[in-house]
Amino acid sequence: MDSALASDAAAHGSHGSRYLPGTVRTAVKILVVGHFAVGKTTFVGSLSEIRPLRTEETMTQAGALVDDLAGIEGKTTTTVAMDFGRLTLNDSLVLYLFGAPGQQRFTRLWQDMTEGALGALVLADTRRLEQSFDVMGLLEEHGLPYAVAVNHFDGAPVYPQEEVREALDLLPETPLVTCDARDRVSSTRALIALVEYLQRRSTVQEPV
């Protein structure tokens, strides 16, 4: 899968009612996870070729007491169940995207969502890298492979990839990419990095 495929897949994201092509033979469930306010809803929304299902609610004063708003004071809504979208990568492969809320109190919800998932894309923010550890730890507990995409935020510090990889203590084979969750092509490329990783793992694990 290359940049041409990323552009092609992104071009199909019309956010309208759209039936799957009759040629689709493989459907894959992918989780989009990460800590609170890292851009999961934006990411799923930028990619989905159907109108995404969102369960966002306005944040209340009570929520502000338990959710860390440091550096994101302008955030006014939060996901309370999940985001759902769909992306057809090619004529035979479609991805179903499940975005889960990032707060600790919703951990059990997205743990249940790991059932049937092939892998996960972890969104990270360079301003709060340490908050990614809990999410990655839970994925590892469930044996779910993942890639990490550092989401671009205006004004956030930019570090060399090697420093980010070391800070997150990633295994050498774990993909690390950057993306802008607001941009469909950029988000598609991040997702393709995960899919290619899952394909490589599948090939390695196939019995001889």
PDB file of all heavy atoms in Angstrom, residues 29 31 33 81-82 98 100-101 105-117 138-139 142 144:
ATOM      1  N   LYS A  29     -11.985  -5.038  11.724  1.00  0.00           N
ATOM      2  CA  LYS A  29     -12.314  -4.126  12.827  1.00  0.00           C
ATOM      3  C   LYS A  29     -11.022  -3.548  13.394  1.00  0.00           C
ATOM      4  O   LYS A  29     -10.112  -4.277  13.789  1.00  0.00           O
ATOM      5  CB  LYS A  29     -13.067  -4.882  13.928  1.00  0.00           C
ATOM      6  CG  LYS A  29     -13.423  -4.032  15.146  1.00  0.00           C
ATOM      7  CD  LYS A  29     -14.145  -4.876  16.184  1.00  0.00           C
ATOM      8  CE  LYS A  29     -14.504  -4.063  17.418  1.00  0.00           C
ATOM      9  NZ  LYS A  29     -15.182  -4.912  18.451  1.00  0.00           N
ATOM     10  N   LEU A  31      -9.463  -0.549  16.120  1.00  0.00           N
ATOM     11  CA  LEU A  31      -9.731   0.398  17.201  1.00  0.00           C
ATOM     12  C   LEU A  31      -8.871   1.649  17.024  1.00  0.00           C
ATOM     13  O   LEU A  31      -7.719   1.564  16.599  1.00  0.00           O
ATOM     14  CB  LEU A  31      -9.425  -0.219  18.555  1.00  0.00           C
ATOM     15  CG  LEU A  31     -10.167  -1.490  18.963  1.00  0.00           C
ATOM     16  CD1 LEU A  31      -9.848  -1.838  20.417  1.00  0.00           C
ATOM     17  CD2 LEU A  31     -11.667  -1.341  18.766  1.00  0.00           C
ATOM     18  N   VAL A  33      -7.631   4.429  19.525  1.00  0.00           N
ATOM     19  CA  VAL A  33      -7.618   4.665  20.964  1.00  0.00           C
ATOM     20  C   VAL A  33      -6.580   5.725  21.304  1.00  0.00           C
ATOM     21  O   VAL A  33      -5.783   6.159  20.474  1.00  0.00           O
ATOM     22  CB  VAL A  33      -7.331   3.359  21.736  1.00  0.00           C
ATOM     23  CG1 VAL A  33      -8.425   2.333  21.479  1.00  0.00           C
ATOM     24  CG2 VAL A  33      -5.973   2.781  21.342  1.00  0.00           C
ATOM     25  N   ALA A  81     -19.402   7.127  24.703  1.00  0.00           N
ATOM     26  CA  ALA A  81     -19.565   5.714  24.359  1.00  0.00           C
ATOM     27  C   ALA A  81     -18.532   5.333  23.318  1.00  0.00           C
ATOM     28  O   ALA A  81     -17.520   4.717  23.634  1.00  0.00           O
ATOM     29  CB  ALA A  81     -20.985   5.425  23.876  1.00  0.00           C
ATOM     30  N   MET A  82     -18.765   5.702  22.054  1.00  0.00           N
ATOM     31  CA  MET A  82     -17.772   5.390  21.032  1.00  0.00           C
ATOM     32  C   MET A  82     -18.051   6.211  19.784  1.00  0.00           C
ATOM     33  O   MET A  82     -19.112   6.808  19.630  1.00  0.00           O
ATOM     34  CB  MET A  82     -17.807   3.902  20.676  1.00  0.00           C
ATOM     35  CG  MET A  82     -19.075   3.482  19.945  1.00  0.00           C
ATOM     36  SD  MET A  82     -18.992   1.774  19.355  1.00  0.00           S
ATOM     37  CE  MET A  82     -20.538   1.698  18.410  1.00  0.00           C
ATOM     38  N   PHE A  98     -13.537   1.882  15.196  1.00  0.00           N
ATOM     39  CA  PHE A  98     -14.201   2.086  16.478  1.00  0.00           C
ATOM     40  C   PHE A  98     -13.313   2.968  17.342  1.00  0.00           C
ATOM     41  O   PHE A  98     -12.226   2.555  17.758  1.00  0.00           O
ATOM     42  CB  PHE A  98     -14.440   0.747  17.182  1.00  0.00           C
ATOM     43  CG  PHE A  98     -15.485  -0.120  16.531  1.00  0.00           C
ATOM     44  CD1 PHE A  98     -15.187  -0.858  15.397  1.00  0.00           C
ATOM     45  CD2 PHE A  98     -16.764  -0.192  17.060  1.00  0.00           C
ATOM     46  CE1 PHE A  98     -16.139  -1.661  14.789  1.00  0.00           C
ATOM     47  CE2 PHE A  98     -17.727  -1.000  16.459  1.00  0.00           C
ATOM     48  CZ  PHE A  98     -17.422  -1.730  15.320  1.00  0.00           C
ATOM     49  N   ALA A 100     -12.743   4.848  20.852  1.00  0.00           N
ATOM     50  CA  ALA A 100     -13.192   4.683  22.236  1.00  0.00           C
ATOM     51  C   ALA A 100     -12.813   5.893  23.076  1.00  0.00           C
ATOM     52  O   ALA A 100     -11.770   6.506  22.847  1.00  0.00           O
ATOM     53  CB  ALA A 100     -12.588   3.424  22.842  1.00  0.00           C
ATOM     54  N   PRO A 101     -13.645   6.248  24.064  1.00  0.00           N
ATOM     55  CA  PRO A 101     -13.305   7.365  24.948  1.00  0.00           C
ATOM     56  C   PRO A 101     -12.037   7.060  25.723  1.00  0.00           C
ATOM     57  O   PRO A 101     -11.757   5.910  26.071  1.00  0.00           O
ATOM     58  CB  PRO A 101     -14.527   7.483  25.877  1.00  0.00           C
ATOM     59  CG  PRO A 101     -15.191   6.143  25.808  1.00  0.00           C
ATOM     60  CD  PRO A 101     -14.936   5.626  24.437  1.00  0.00           C
ATOM     61  N   ARG A 105     -12.343   6.069  33.378  1.00  0.00           N
ATOM     62  CA  ARG A 105     -13.624   5.495  33.792  1.00  0.00           C
ATOM     63  C   ARG A 105     -14.316   4.729  32.665  1.00  0.00           C
ATOM     64  O   ARG A 105     -15.284   4.010  32.910  1.00  0.00           O
ATOM     65  CB  ARG A 105     -14.548   6.591  34.327  1.00  0.00           C
ATOM     66  CG  ARG A 105     -14.914   7.677  33.325  1.00  0.00           C
ATOM     67  CD  ARG A 105     -15.747   8.745  34.006  1.00  0.00           C
ATOM     68  NE  ARG A 105     -16.156   9.819  33.124  1.00  0.00           N
ATOM     69  CZ  ARG A 105     -15.406  10.870  32.835  1.00  0.00           C
ATOM     70  NH1 ARG A 105     -14.191  10.971  33.350  1.00  0.00           N
ATOM     71  NH2 ARG A 105     -15.862  11.829  32.034  1.00  0.00           N
ATOM     72  N   PHE A 106     -13.828   4.886  31.422  1.00  0.00           N
ATOM     73  CA  PHE A 106     -14.412   4.162  30.303  1.00  0.00           C
ATOM     74  C   PHE A 106     -13.555   2.971  29.866  1.00  0.00           C
ATOM     75  O   PHE A 106     -13.809   2.372  28.826  1.00  0.00           O
ATOM     76  CB  PHE A 106     -14.597   5.100  29.101  1.00  0.00           C
ATOM     77  CG  PHE A 106     -15.602   6.192  29.335  1.00  0.00           C
ATOM     78  CD1 PHE A 106     -15.199   7.524  29.328  1.00  0.00           C
ATOM     79  CD2 PHE A 106     -16.929   5.900  29.554  1.00  0.00           C
ATOM     80  CE1 PHE A 106     -16.118   8.538  29.534  1.00  0.00           C
ATOM     81  CE2 PHE A 106     -17.857   6.910  29.762  1.00  0.00           C
ATOM     82  CZ  PHE A 106     -17.454   8.229  29.753  1.00  0.00           C
ATOM     83  N   THR A 107     -12.553   2.625  30.661  1.00  0.00           N
ATOM     84  CA  THR A 107     -11.625   1.563  30.268  1.00  0.00           C
ATOM     85  C   THR A 107     -12.348   0.258  29.979  1.00  0.00           C
ATOM     86  O   THR A 107     -12.059  -0.416  28.986  1.00  0.00           O
ATOM     87  CB  THR A 107     -10.572   1.346  31.367  1.00  0.00           C
ATOM     88  OG1 THR A 107      -9.783   2.529  31.503  1.00  0.00           O
ATOM     89  CG2 THR A 107      -9.659   0.174  31.004  1.00  0.00           C
ATOM     90  N   ARG A 108     -13.292  -0.115  30.824  1.00  0.00           N
ATOM     91  CA  ARG A 108     -13.979  -1.402  30.623  1.00  0.00           C
ATOM     92  C   ARG A 108     -14.740  -1.410  29.307  1.00  0.00           C
ATOM     93  O   ARG A 108     -14.800  -2.439  28.628  1.00  0.00           O
ATOM     94  CB  ARG A 108     -14.940  -1.684  31.777  1.00  0.00           C
ATOM     95  CG  ARG A 108     -15.752  -2.954  31.600  1.00  0.00           C
ATOM     96  CD  ARG A 108     -16.352  -3.438  32.884  1.00  0.00           C
ATOM     97  NE  ARG A 108     -15.334  -3.844  33.836  1.00  0.00           N
ATOM     98  CZ  ARG A 108     -15.610  -4.382  35.024  1.00  0.00           C
ATOM     99  NH1 ARG A 108     -16.857  -4.563  35.398  1.00  0.00           N
ATOM    100  NH2 ARG A 108     -14.629  -4.740  35.838  1.00  0.00           N
ATOM    101  N   LEU A 109     -15.300  -0.271  28.916  1.00  0.00           N
ATOM    102  CA  LEU A 109     -16.051  -0.194  27.660  1.00  0.00           C
ATOM    103  C   LEU A 109     -15.159  -0.539  26.483  1.00  0.00           C
ATOM    104  O   LEU A 109     -15.490  -1.378  25.652  1.00  0.00           O
ATOM    105  CB  LEU A 109     -16.639   1.206  27.485  1.00  0.00           C
ATOM    106  CG  LEU A 109     -17.225   1.528  26.105  1.00  0.00           C
ATOM    107  CD1 LEU A 109     -18.446   0.662  25.837  1.00  0.00           C
ATOM    108  CD2 LEU A 109     -17.567   3.005  25.996  1.00  0.00           C
ATOM    109  N   TRP A 110     -13.995   0.118  26.400  1.00  0.00           N
ATOM    110  CA  TRP A 110     -13.189  -0.156  25.208  1.00  0.00           C
ATOM    111  C   TRP A 110     -12.385  -1.434  25.311  1.00  0.00           C
ATOM    112  O   TRP A 110     -11.946  -1.992  24.309  1.00  0.00           O
ATOM    113  CB  TRP A 110     -12.364   1.045  24.795  1.00  0.00           C
ATOM    114  CG  TRP A 110     -11.139   1.422  25.555  1.00  0.00           C
ATOM    115  CD1 TRP A 110     -11.023   2.418  26.474  1.00  0.00           C
ATOM    116  CD2 TRP A 110      -9.832   0.857  25.401  1.00  0.00           C
ATOM    117  NE1 TRP A 110      -9.723   2.492  26.912  1.00  0.00           N
ATOM    118  CE2 TRP A 110      -8.977   1.561  26.271  1.00  0.00           C
ATOM    119  CE3 TRP A 110      -9.312  -0.171  24.618  1.00  0.00           C
ATOM    120  CZ2 TRP A 110      -7.622   1.261  26.391  1.00  0.00           C
ATOM    121  CZ3 TRP A 110      -7.961  -0.474  24.730  1.00  0.00           C
ATOM    122  CH2 TRP A 110      -7.128   0.240  25.612  1.00  0.00           C
ATOM    123  N   GLN A 111     -12.250  -1.979  26.538  1.00  0.00           N
ATOM    124  CA  GLN A 111     -11.705  -3.320  26.663  1.00  0.00           C
ATOM    125  C   GLN A 111     -12.646  -4.322  25.987  1.00  0.00           C
ATOM    126  O   GLN A 111     -12.208  -5.238  25.298  1.00  0.00           O
ATOM    127  CB  GLN A 111     -11.501  -3.685  28.129  1.00  0.00           C
ATOM    128  CG  GLN A 111     -10.261  -3.056  28.751  1.00  0.00           C
ATOM    129  CD  GLN A 111     -10.088  -3.474  30.187  1.00  0.00           C
ATOM    130  OE1 GLN A 111     -10.994  -3.315  31.007  1.00  0.00           O
ATOM    131  NE2 GLN A 111      -8.924  -4.005  30.511  1.00  0.00           N
ATOM    132  N   ASP A 112     -13.956  -4.138  26.194  1.00  0.00           N
ATOM    133  CA  ASP A 112     -14.936  -4.997  25.535  1.00  0.00           C
ATOM    134  C   ASP A 112     -14.855  -4.848  24.021  1.00  0.00           C
ATOM    135  O   ASP A 112     -15.077  -5.801  23.273  1.00  0.00           O
ATOM    136  CB  ASP A 112     -16.351  -4.662  26.011  1.00  0.00           C
ATOM    137  CG  ASP A 112     -16.582  -5.017  27.476  1.00  0.00           C
ATOM    138  OD1 ASP A 112     -15.821  -5.863  27.999  1.00  0.00           O
ATOM    139  OD2 ASP A 112     -17.504  -4.452  28.083  1.00  0.00           O
ATOM    140  N   MET A 113     -14.520  -3.633  23.564  1.00  0.00           N
ATOM    141  CA  MET A 113     -14.451  -3.380  22.130  1.00  0.00           C
ATOM    142  C   MET A 113     -13.264  -4.075  21.463  1.00  0.00           C
ATOM    143  O   MET A 113     -13.213  -4.187  20.245  1.00  0.00           O
ATOM    144  CB  MET A 113     -14.376  -1.865  21.877  1.00  0.00           C
ATOM    145  CG  MET A 113     -15.677  -1.141  22.194  1.00  0.00           C
ATOM    146  SD  MET A 113     -15.487   0.670  22.224  1.00  0.00           S
ATOM    147  CE  MET A 113     -14.916   0.957  20.547  1.00  0.00           C
ATOM    148  N   THR A 114     -12.305  -4.562  22.255  1.00  0.00           N
ATOM    149  CA  THR A 114     -11.174  -5.269  21.657  1.00  0.00           C
ATOM    150  C   THR A 114     -11.600  -6.607  21.063  1.00  0.00           C
ATOM    151  O   THR A 114     -10.878  -7.162  20.229  1.00  0.00           O
ATOM    152  CB  THR A 114     -10.056  -5.525  22.693  1.00  0.00           C
ATOM    153  OG1 THR A 114     -10.554  -6.365  23.748  1.00  0.00           O
ATOM    154  CG2 THR A 114      -9.549  -4.211  23.273  1.00  0.00           C
ATOM    155  N   GLU A 115     -12.754  -7.123  21.469  1.00  0.00           N
ATOM    156  CA  GLU A 115     -13.225  -8.403  20.950  1.00  0.00           C
ATOM    157  C   GLU A 115     -13.414  -8.320  19.434  1.00  0.00           C
ATOM    158  O   GLU A 115     -14.150  -7.465  18.941  1.00  0.00           O
ATOM    159  CB  GLU A 115     -14.548  -8.801  21.616  1.00  0.00           C
ATOM    160  CG  GLU A 115     -14.435  -9.132  23.090  1.00  0.00           C
ATOM    161  CD  GLU A 115     -13.615 -10.384  23.343  1.00  0.00           C
ATOM    162  OE1 GLU A 115     -13.646 -11.296  22.491  1.00  0.00           O
ATOM    163  OE2 GLU A 115     -12.925 -10.436  24.386  1.00  0.00           O
ATOM    164  N   GLY A 116     -12.732  -9.181  18.719  1.00  0.00           N
ATOM    165  CA  GLY A 116     -12.872  -9.211  17.262  1.00  0.00           C
ATOM    166  C   GLY A 116     -12.036  -8.193  16.522  1.00  0.00           C
ATOM    167  O   GLY A 116     -12.038  -8.178  15.294  1.00  0.00           O
ATOM    168  N   ALA A 117     -11.304  -7.352  17.257  1.00  0.00           N
ATOM    169  CA  ALA A 117     -10.466  -6.336  16.591  1.00  0.00           C
ATOM    170  C   ALA A 117      -9.161  -6.964  16.128  1.00  0.00           C
ATOM    171  O   ALA A 117      -8.581  -7.810  16.816  1.00  0.00           O
ATOM    172  CB  ALA A 117     -10.185  -5.172  17.534  1.00  0.00           C
ATOM    173  N   LEU A 138      -2.828  -1.572  28.310  1.00  0.00           N
ATOM    174  CA  LEU A 138      -4.052  -2.369  28.216  1.00  0.00           C
ATOM    175  C   LEU A 138      -4.108  -3.153  26.905  1.00  0.00           C
ATOM    176  O   LEU A 138      -4.543  -4.306  26.876  1.00  0.00           O
ATOM    177  CB  LEU A 138      -5.270  -1.462  28.348  1.00  0.00           C
ATOM    178  CG  LEU A 138      -5.535  -0.944  29.763  1.00  0.00           C
ATOM    179  CD1 LEU A 138      -6.583   0.159  29.749  1.00  0.00           C
ATOM    180  CD2 LEU A 138      -5.989  -2.084  30.666  1.00  0.00           C
ATOM    181  N   LEU A 139      -3.662  -2.526  25.812  1.00  0.00           N
ATOM    182  CA  LEU A 139      -3.629  -3.239  24.534  1.00  0.00           C
ATOM    183  C   LEU A 139      -2.687  -4.434  24.614  1.00  0.00           C
ATOM    184  O   LEU A 139      -3.000  -5.519  24.115  1.00  0.00           O
ATOM    185  CB  LEU A 139      -3.187  -2.292  23.420  1.00  0.00           C
ATOM    186  CG  LEU A 139      -4.165  -1.180  23.040  1.00  0.00           C
ATOM    187  CD1 LEU A 139      -3.522  -0.233  22.032  1.00  0.00           C
ATOM    188  CD2 LEU A 139      -5.464  -1.746  22.470  1.00  0.00           C
ATOM    189  N   HIS A 142      -4.160  -7.358  26.389  1.00  0.00           N
ATOM    190  CA  HIS A 142      -5.127  -8.083  25.570  1.00  0.00           C
ATOM    191  C   HIS A 142      -4.497  -8.699  24.320  1.00  0.00           C
ATOM    192  O   HIS A 142      -5.200  -9.311  23.515  1.00  0.00           O
ATOM    193  CB  HIS A 142      -6.274  -7.152  25.156  1.00  0.00           C
ATOM    194  CG  HIS A 142      -7.225  -6.843  26.276  1.00  0.00           C
ATOM    195  ND1 HIS A 142      -6.920  -5.955  27.277  1.00  0.00           N
ATOM    196  CD2 HIS A 142      -8.461  -7.333  26.559  1.00  0.00           C
ATOM    197  CE1 HIS A 142      -7.941  -5.892  28.123  1.00  0.00           C
ATOM    198  NE2 HIS A 142      -8.876  -6.719  27.719  1.00  0.00           N
ATOM    199  N   LEU A 144      -3.294  -7.235  21.731  1.00  0.00           N
ATOM    200  CA  LEU A 144      -3.733  -6.575  20.506  1.00  0.00           C
ATOM    201  C   LEU A 144      -2.592  -5.752  19.928  1.00  0.00           C
ATOM    202  O   LEU A 144      -2.110  -4.810  20.571  1.00  0.00           O
ATOM    203  CB  LEU A 144      -4.937  -5.671  20.799  1.00  0.00           C
ATOM    204  CG  LEU A 144      -5.785  -5.244  19.589  1.00  0.00           C
ATOM    205  CD1 LEU A 144      -6.448  -6.460  18.952  1.00  0.00           C
ATOM    206  CD2 LEU A 144      -6.834  -4.226  20.004  1.00  0.00           C
TER     207      LEU A 144
END
